[in-house]
Amino acid sequence: MNPTDISRHPALEIACDESGWEGSNFAAANSDVIAYASVRLSVDDAEACVRLLRGRTERQHHEFKAGHLIRNTDGAGLAAFLGQDGPVHGRARVHLTHKSCFIIGRVLDIFLGDFADTVSLGLRPDPRLAAQATALCRSGQEIFGRDRWQAFLSATNLVLRENRHPKVHGPVDAFFDQVDALRATVGTTADGWLAGLLGDLADARPGGYAARIRLIENHVLQPVLEPLLPALARTVLHWSAGTQPIAIVHDEQSALTERRIQRLEHVLAEPPLELIRPPAQGRFLQFRQTDSRTEPRVQVADVLAGVTRKIASGGPLRSSHPELSELIQPYLDPASCWCAWPADRAV
């Protein structure tokens, strides 16, 4: 297939929305999960889906949300929505981001990985650092204790944030002080991988200021604390298979600016990734934001994202209806930034 052929293919329209995004303070968030859902539905099918989900709810004239479905139905109702005979089965995808895993991965990326993960939109992370981030996130609280671990996560979040009046030295010093505190906590009893990782981080302190400056200078187009961009990149690749132009209809989201969308397309198309084949004319990735209250396809994506996030987060819903964990499996992006449980255990 040559670029001219690709340009003749009509764009595949996908509706997207997220659940769990609360801003850049990941360490103190109410939810530990972000779910980014995409659905391939016609407007008519989406409207029919929303009518089905509403049932006899009293909120007929308001936007239907995941919370309404969870409150107004039992496990059987959720199972009907997610199951093989449900309205979105085989026509939807969900990318999960575990917030602690994300910020740990990104802090290793900027101090040890030369921004490889950030620059590639999460598509080409350093495998060794990605594995270490997962291992550290899974075991950190158990090894270091809740207070020490939370202090480390807070310092990690702070050093990654680009505030209105960003500082360089203070956040970097605070982060590496926490690294030293973790090393002192475990002493010589740390496992080999953990001692090695903390040692590598401690050794990175001299270059910490330069990494922080780079983060600040590039934050507009390469934001290190923006998980929706990797989620969107994975979504585009899933639905397009690298050749089918995509038109995204998205709920209003300030983080997804036109400049960032253009950069996303450029990164996917150009070396070293070259994961999509742009058309001879026009854009491979079209992006339109809309008010979800007037777009039923986005409402369905929002419901799917919210339901999946609630199930993945655990708590009473999953405890009461453990079968729901199995039902969300077909929807999940296997490349999700997820480390809440070992890989051989279902979400």
Side-chain angles (χ1 to χ4, degrees):
M1 183 181 296
N2 60 49
T4 302
D5 294 330
I6 296 173
S7 68
R8 293 174 182 160
H9 285 209
L12 184 66
E13 199 158 61
I14 303 298
C16 302
D17 202 359
E18 55 76 26
S19 177
W21 170 246
E22 302 172 83
S24 60
N25 192 358
F26 288 56
N30 294 315
S31 171
D32 60 349
V33 181
I34 298 172
Y36 188 87
S38 56
V39 299
R40 181 185 180 184
L41 294 171
S42 69
V43 173
D44 288 344
D45 285 348
E47 289 177 341
C49 179
V50 173
R51 286 195 300 269
L52 177 67
L53 296 177
R54 283 185 185 276
R56 296 183 179 277
T57 178
E58 297 177 358
R59 299 179 63 87
Q60 292 290 336
H61 302 292
H62 297 272
E63 181 182 5
F64 191 80
K65 307 285 284 185
H68 303 141
L69 180 62
I70 293 171
R71 288 192 299 270
N72 296 331
T73 65
D74 55 13
L78 293 171
F81 173 61
L82 296 169
Q84 291 187 4
D85 296 327
V88 292
H89 192 270
R91 298 194 283 180
R93 187 81 157 180
V94 182
H95 180 93
L96 295 176
T97 299
H98 188 256
K99 294 179 181 179
S100 295
C101 183
F102 181 77
I103 62 173
I104 292 171
R106 283 298 167 92
V107 86
L108 299 188
D109 177 52
I110 71 166
F111 289 129
L112 301 179
D114 194 31
F115 288 74
D117 190 45
T118 301
V119 171
S120 71
L121 299 170
L123 298 172
R124 290 287 175 86
D126 181 302
R128 181 179 65 88
L129 294 180
Q132 289 178 330
T134 298
L136 183 57
C137 189
R138 285 177 179 162
S139 59
Q141 182 164 309
E142 180 180 354
I143 293 173
F144 301 110
R146 187 180 187 282
D147 291 344
R148 175 59 68 198
W149 179 242
Q150 191 59 42
F152 172 74
L153 290 180
S154 296
T156 298
N157 205 139
L158 180 63
V159 81
L160 295 174
R161 293 182 75 177
E162 195 287 320
N163 298 320
R164 180 172 298 179
H165 302 292
K167 299 178 181 178
V168 174
H169 291 77
V172 172
D173 291 339
F175 172 77
F176 284 105
D177 286 348
Q178 287 300 321
V179 171
D180 291 341
L182 296 189
R183 297 182 77 193
T185 298
V186 298
T188 59
T189 64
D191 291 339
W193 71 268
L194 180 56
L197 174 60
L198 294 177
D200 289 344
L201 278 173
D203 292 342
R205 183 189 280 261
Y209 300 144
R212 170 75 176 160
I213 291 171
R214 178 178 173 182
L215 178 158
I216 294 169
E217 291 177 342
N218 296 330
H219 81 279
V220 173
L221 292 182
Q222 296 179 9
V224 300
L225 272 187
E226 186 41 77
L228 298 188
L229 287 171
L232 178 56
R234 296 284 185 186
T235 298
V236 170
L237 292 176
H238 169 70
W239 292 106
S240 72
T243 60
Q244 173 71 57
I246 297 293
I248 299 290
V249 181
H250 206 290
D251 188 27
E252 294 174 344
Q253 172 54 252
S254 60
L256 299 178
T257 64
E258 176 60 24
R259 290 180 64 190
R260 288 176 178 175
I261 297 301
Q262 290 180 2
R263 178 181 175 272
L264 185 153
E265 184 173 355
H266 177 78
V267 170
L268 293 179
E270 299 297 324
L273 296 185
E274 296 182 283
L275 296 174
I276 62 174
R277 298 172 60 184
Q281 296 178 340
R283 297 277 296 275
F284 185 93
L285 174 59
Q286 302 170 39
F287 188 84
R288 174 171 64 89
Q289 299 200 50
T290 185
D291 187 335
S292 61
R293 292 172 295 183
T294 63
E295 174 50 77
R297 294 172 298 177
V298 173
Q299 287 189 41
V300 175
D302 176 66
V303 171
L304 178 61
V307 167
T308 305
R309 179 179 66 83
K310 282 289 189 180
I311 296 169
S313 297
L317 179 61
R318 197 172 77 217
S319 299
S320 303
H321 306 286
E323 73 281 1
L324 296 177
S325 292
E326 199 65 34
L327 288 175
I328 66 172
Q329 293 299 316
Y331 297 94
L332 299 184
D333 179 358
S336 294
C337 181
W338 189 259
C339 63
W341 298 284
D344 60 349
R345 179 178 169 185
V347 170

